[in-house]
Amino acid sequence: MNASLFTNSLINESSPYLLQHAHNPVNWQPWSPLIFQKAVEQDKPILLSIGYAACHWCHVMERESFESVTVAEYMNAHFVNVKVDREERPDIDHIYMDALQAMTGSGGWPLNIFLLPDGKPFYGGTYFPPKAMPQRASWMDVLKGVHDAYTSNKEKLVEQAVSLTKHLVQANINALNNINADDLGAPIATIEEVGLIAQRILQVADIEWGGFGQAPKFPQTFTIQMLLRNYQLNKDEASLWQALNSLDKMMQGGIFDHLGGGFSRYSTDTQWQAPHFEKMLYDNALLLTVIAEAYQITKLEKYKLVIDKTIHFLEAELSNGEGAFFAALDADSEGVEGKFYTWSFDEIKSLIDPEIFESFCNYYQVIPEGNWEHTNILWTQQKIEDANTKQFIEAREILFKERATRIRPSLDHKIILAWNNLMVIALCKSFAALGMEAYRQQAINTMNWIEEHLYNTVGGHFYHTNTNGIKKSFAFLDDYATLIQAYIQLQEITGDAQYLLKAKQWTEYVQVNFKDEEGVFFYYTGSYQQDVIVRKKENYDGAQPSGNSMMCYALFYLGTVFGNSEWIEQSERMLRSMRKQLLQYPSSFGYWGHCFLVHAVGFIELVAIGKNVQKDIPEVAKLFLPHKILLFLPNIVPTISIISDKQGVDNQYFVCKNSTCSAPTTNLSNFLALI
């Protein structure tokens, strides 16, 4: 279809996903108060369609249905059609995904959901084909069925929508009110229970192929980190083995790009061979973080190789060149999923040295008929370090250069605050593990860009996204929680106390604008945001950590640093509410597990004061101590209670716990021995 024949209201948007639909014959509109006004005036239901730029099935449904003039004419006649980029407005996506899961028991994208003119949902689904399939109605059948129900049986739909919305509100309240009176006197967390969490994780572990559960397989980085923490705390070899096995299998699999570096979002099969090829910034940031921890424990070269290669990919393909990182690369190119990344047997044969062709094909599982859908994905079942020979490196470079001549997957050039914060954390962790100064500097540069380009100096708040200089959406809880964590990590690797003071400042902001009426948990949206039907409180750690789990950790950490007992008590109340869910379903609450561990063992405070102590940070940061607070500062900062009384000679080192410190030493070696 000639795209120029049609243009709708999305043409004025900045989101790459919305712009993908700007030339559909469907009269799409962006989310705004006007859609509700129009729906009331025209007495039409709202069709809300949510997706994202790198979503394969979103593209498929667009080609099959939203580019059809016949379908578009029906949609335009009977619905107010609204498109939302879930990455630009995750708050809207969370609400209506919950509604869909309540209705159908499942979810996914594209998310197509029908709303009353006041925004209450009454029916929905994900991908609908152009023609009916077994157990899946056609899109036109769905549209006609909804239209008929709305015109002939509206009262029933209103009843359903009101009931469903009440359920969403009540579920939101119930999910985070789980404190049993009998539990109040019991410990919040114990070392033994950390071991229990790990054992329950191991019960669903795939021992052969790594990871957890069956296909499709997601990285589940927090779950892997929890196993590493249990190994560090309880010396459980099974936890370490499964954590490293999971990372190794992902690094060997097709989910890792063996030519260009970086990881795809998930694997469609058990053995990590065939990825869903979209590459997301947040996945790579989270994987960098856990691989850095694996390197801290093992010092194995393969983890360094993958860290370096992944950061190189991010800087080469997702960097804006000024410090920030774009959101994602599409799964598709030329309308075909994975076409950019896959190879025919003959292509490889024509390109690389004949002397190593056979061994290269054996290593990367390349076969004449193709190892996936008549083509080849490079993956291996051998050690990743075995491919680090001069000949294999040269062969990969040849294929990489050839791949660069292909039509590239599209780039989603949104810059998302939370994802860039996660990247700052990943760079801090990578510096801590490897001591590479470039990674520390990149972390600083990224934060500088965030502060300059995502902050509203007039309103005193952050924005969620910046796309081509256009800032959109008030920042959400995830944005602020990751920002606070990024500041904490930056202080630990730089010894710059200003980062800690900023973490404190934004924690205070979250307390004022996001805290719930009970004074325990936090809403996903700020009190000043008025365009959603429910203020949700997220607690589930999915592909990304929940804002509440990150705030639970931050409140305990910063409460300890600044001597704020109210923050420590709030963290305790949050964790006590989550205890039962965490202990029963630890794979769904992985980041809560991190908070659980530090409550079980307490923080160990590694403190040094003196004009020369910052140079010692790399030597201490390389240690795997997930329950540490690292403060190597040139001067006393009066508001930081841990160090406010550390007067005396220059360059003093202390190990502190539970408000008690060791005798100071002026020798780094003695200090390390104390740890």
Side-chain angles (χ1 to χ4, degrees):
M1 179 179 295
N2 186 344
S4 63
L5 290 175
F6 304 98
T7 302
N8 57 52
S9 298
L10 300 184
I11 196 67
N12 299 314
E13 294 299 302
S14 57
S15 156
Y17 174 68
L18 298 185
L19 290 170
Q20 286 172 0
H21 292 267
H23 294 292
N24 294 165
V26 178
N27 185 23
W28 294 117
Q29 296 169 70
W31 182 272
S32 79
L34 294 176
I35 65 174
F36 305 107
Q37 181 182 330
K38 185 175 289 190
V40 170
E41 290 172 355
Q42 299 179 3
D43 192 20
K44 293 179 180 178
I46 295 167
L47 164 59
L48 174 62
S49 184
I50 303 175
Y52 56 103
C55 167
H56 171 69
W57 287 103
C58 300
H59 302 330
V60 172
M61 192 164 178
E62 180 191 18
R63 289 195 300 268
E64 293 176 343
S65 297
F66 301 149
E67 290 183 349
S68 164
V69 174
T70 304
V71 173
E73 287 175 348
Y74 193 89
M75 291 172 66
N76 296 339
H78 300 298
F79 302 93
V80 174
N81 302 296
V82 179
K83 263 287 175 194
V84 165
D85 180 341
R86 71 175 290 257
E87 295 165 358
E88 193 170 75
R89 289 300 302 268
D91 55 330
I92 297 169
D93 179 63
H94 289 173
I95 292 166
Y96 293 109
M97 185 61 74
D98 279 359
L100 180 65
Q101 289 174 332
M103 285 187 274
T104 67
S106 61
W109 298 276
L111 168 58
N112 294 294
I113 196 155
F114 296 89
L115 319 177
L116 296 176
D118 62 3
K120 293 185 178 72
F122 63 86
Y123 181 74
T126 54
Y127 165 76
F128 291 100
K131 295 181 180 179
M133 299 165 58
Q135 299 181 322
R136 198 178 286 267
S138 75
W139 181 234
M140 278 300 290
D141 287 344
V142 169
L143 294 172
K144 289 176 180 177
V146 171
H147 171 63
D148 291 346
Y150 189 81
T151 53
S152 63
N153 202 4
K154 187 193 278 189
E155 288 184 4
K156 181 68 174 175
L157 292 187
V158 170
E159 186 182 316
Q160 284 179 212
V162 169
S163 175
L164 178 57
T165 304
K166 284 181 179 176
H167 166 77
L168 294 176
V169 172
Q170 193 57 46
N172 197 36
I173 294 169
N174 293 343
L176 296 171
N177 288 335
N178 295 315
I179 298 180
N180 188 315
D182 296 336
D183 294 337
L184 289 174
I188 300 165
T190 67
I191 293 172
E192 292 74 22
E193 286 172 323
V194 172
L196 175 63
I197 287 171
Q199 291 310 307
R200 287 183 172 163
I201 289 170
L202 291 173
Q203 287 172 6
V204 296
D206 182 342
I207 296 172
E208 182 179 5
W209 288 105
F212 310 91
Q214 302 302 310
K217 271 187 175 174
F218 290 80
Q220 292 190 240
T221 48
F222 323 126
T223 303
I224 296 171
Q225 284 180 291
M226 201 60 214
L227 293 179
L228 293 178
R229 281 152 175 70
N230 184 55
Y231 167 74
Q232 191 268 346
L233 183 63
N234 288 314
K235 303 303 176 214
D236 179 53
E237 293 289 343
S239 291
L240 178 64
W241 187 89
Q242 182 61 26
L244 299 181
N245 184 47
S246 299
L247 294 176
D248 292 349
K249 295 299 185 185
M250 280 187 267
M251 286 158 40
Q252 293 168 333
I255 193 174
F256 179 66
D257 182 352
H258 292 268
L259 299 184
F263 291 85
S264 295
R265 183 163 163 252
Y266 65 87
S267 174
T268 61
D269 56 56
T270 304
Q271 59 266 43
W272 307 100
Q273 178 198 348
H276 188 40
F277 287 90
E278 59 193 348
K279 286 181 172 180
M280 318 296 289
L281 174 61
Y282 70 83
D283 281 316
N284 283 280
L286 293 170
L287 278 160
L288 279 171
T289 299
V290 69
I291 295 170
E293 292 185 351
Y295 181 83
Q296 285 179 311
I297 293 171
T298 66
K299 298 296 189 285
L300 292 174
E301 182 69 14
K302 60 185 172 183
Y303 299 123
K304 180 183 184 302
L305 287 171
V306 172
I307 290 169
D308 290 341
K309 200 162 188 174
T310 301
I311 292 177
H312 177 77
F313 152 72
L314 292 165
E315 292 178 339
E317 300 195 43
L318 289 185
S319 170
N320 74 342
E322 299 173 2
F325 293 87
F326 298 125
L329 285 172
D330 206 326
D332 299 7
S333 57
E334 302 179 69
V336 179
E337 184 180 11
K339 185 173 183 179
F340 182 75
Y341 299 100
T342 55
W343 299 87
S344 73
F345 182 84
D346 290 337
E347 270 184 299
I348 294 175
K349 187 174 185 179
S350 69
L351 289 166
I352 68 172
D353 186 342
E355 287 188 13
I356 67 156
F357 173 68
E358 184 176 347
S359 60
F360 188 91
C361 289
N362 287 339
Y363 180 85
Y364 285 114
Q365 310 283 301
V366 175
I367 53 177
E369 62 271 26
N371 61 32
W372 177 76
E373 296 190 3
H374 311 296
T375 187
N376 287 285
I377 296 169
L378 300 185
W379 74 297
T380 186
Q381 296 184 50
Q382 299 177 46
K383 293 179 180 178
I384 198 163
E385 55 269 39
D386 289 352
N388 207 35
T389 64
K390 182 174 181 291
Q391 286 182 309
F392 268 42
I393 291 169
E394 289 174 352
R396 287 196 302 270
E397 286 175 352
I398 290 167
L399 294 182
F400 182 73
K401 287 178 182 176
E402 176 65 22
R403 193 175 80 176
T405 67
R406 298 175 177 176
I407 296 173
R408 298 184 60 78
S410 62
L411 171 69
D412 183 341
H413 52 274
K414 283 194 310 297
I415 295 172
I416 299 173
L417 176 54
W419 298 10
N420 275 267
N421 293 332
L422 290 173
M423 190 61 201
V424 172
I425 295 166
L427 289 162
C428 290
K429 293 280 192 176
S430 298
F431 168 77
L434 304 178
M436 294 276 289
E437 183 57 38
Y439 297 161
R440 175 159 60 181
Q441 191 57 53
Q442 179 62 65
I444 294 168
N445 294 346
T446 302
M447 183 55 73
N448 289 343
W449 194 97
I450 287 168
E451 292 177 336
E452 184 176 350
H453 297 280
L454 279 161
Y455 180 62
N456 182 315
T457 53
V458 177
H461 65 83
F462 277 91
Y463 288 102
H464 176 61
T465 62
N466 182 320
T467 310
N468 293 334
I470 299 171
K471 303 167 192 175
K472 282 200 170 178
S473 301
F474 291 116
F476 303 106
L477 179 62
D478 290 2
D479 293 306
Y480 287 111
T482 52
L483 179 71
I484 292 162
Q485 295 282 2
Y487 280 137
I488 287 171
Q489 293 300 322
L490 276 166
Q491 186 286 134
E492 291 213 345
I493 65 159
T494 63
D496 184 346
Q498 288 303 309
Y499 289 127
L500 265 186
L501 299 177
K502 289 176 180 178
K504 179 174 180 280
Q505 171 195 342
W506 289 108
T507 300
E508 291 166 347
Y509 178 90
V510 170
Q511 293 279 26
V512 170
N513 293 289
F514 288 80
K515 191 156 63 174
D516 67 12
E517 294 76 8
E518 291 77 30
V520 181
F521 287 92
F522 300 96
Y523 288 110
Y524 190 76
T525 51
S527 55
Y528 38 75
Q529 188 180 325
Q530 303 295 323
D531 64 345
V532 288
I533 61 169
V534 178
R535 285 185 77 194
K536 278 184 59 59
K537 288 183 278 190
E538 299 282 349
N539 67 333
Y540 170 70
D541 295 324
Q544 301 171 62
S546 69
N548 272 299
S549 63
M550 287 186 287
M551 287 306 303
C552 181
Y553 187 97
L555 286 167
F556 191 32
Y557 185 106
L558 296 171
T560 303
V561 168
F562 291 103
N564 188 325
S565 60
E566 290 183 7
W567 286 4
I568 293 172
E569 288 167 12
Q570 185 182 351
S571 178
E572 291 172 350
R573 290 171 69 193
M574 293 175 81
L575 192 59
R576 201 175 284 283
S577 289
M578 292 300 301
R579 261 183 60 85
K580 288 187 176 178
Q581 287 172 281
L582 170 59
L583 290 170
Q584 192 168 0
Y585 307 109
S587 296
S588 298
F589 301 98
Y591 203 93
W592 284 103
H594 301 187
C595 192
F596 190 91
L597 180 136
V598 293
H599 274 283
V601 301
F603 282 110
I604 179 172
E605 300 148 23
L606 309 180
V607 180
I609 305 296
K611 62 185 179 183
N612 297 319
V613 297
Q614 287 164 311
K615 67 177 174 52
D616 296 328
I617 286 173
E619 195 65 28
V620 183
K622 71 182 183 182
L623 304 172
F624 181 62
L625 294 168
H627 57 297
K628 77 177 184 308
I629 293 173
L630 178 57
L631 281 167
F632 274 42
L633 304 178
N635 303 298
I636 298 292
V637 180
T639 56
I640 299 178
S641 64
I642 290 177
I643 61 169
S644 59
D645 62 344
K646 301 292 186 288
Q647 305 293 343
V649 297
D650 206 8
N651 294 354
Q652 296 183 95
Y653 303 84
F654 306 82
V655 177
C656 308
K657 191 160 185 175
N658 299 326
S659 303
T660 303
C661 295
S662 65
T665 177
T666 57
N667 182 282
L668 178 64
S669 298
N670 292 341
F671 172 74
L672 293 172
L674 284 173
I675 298 172

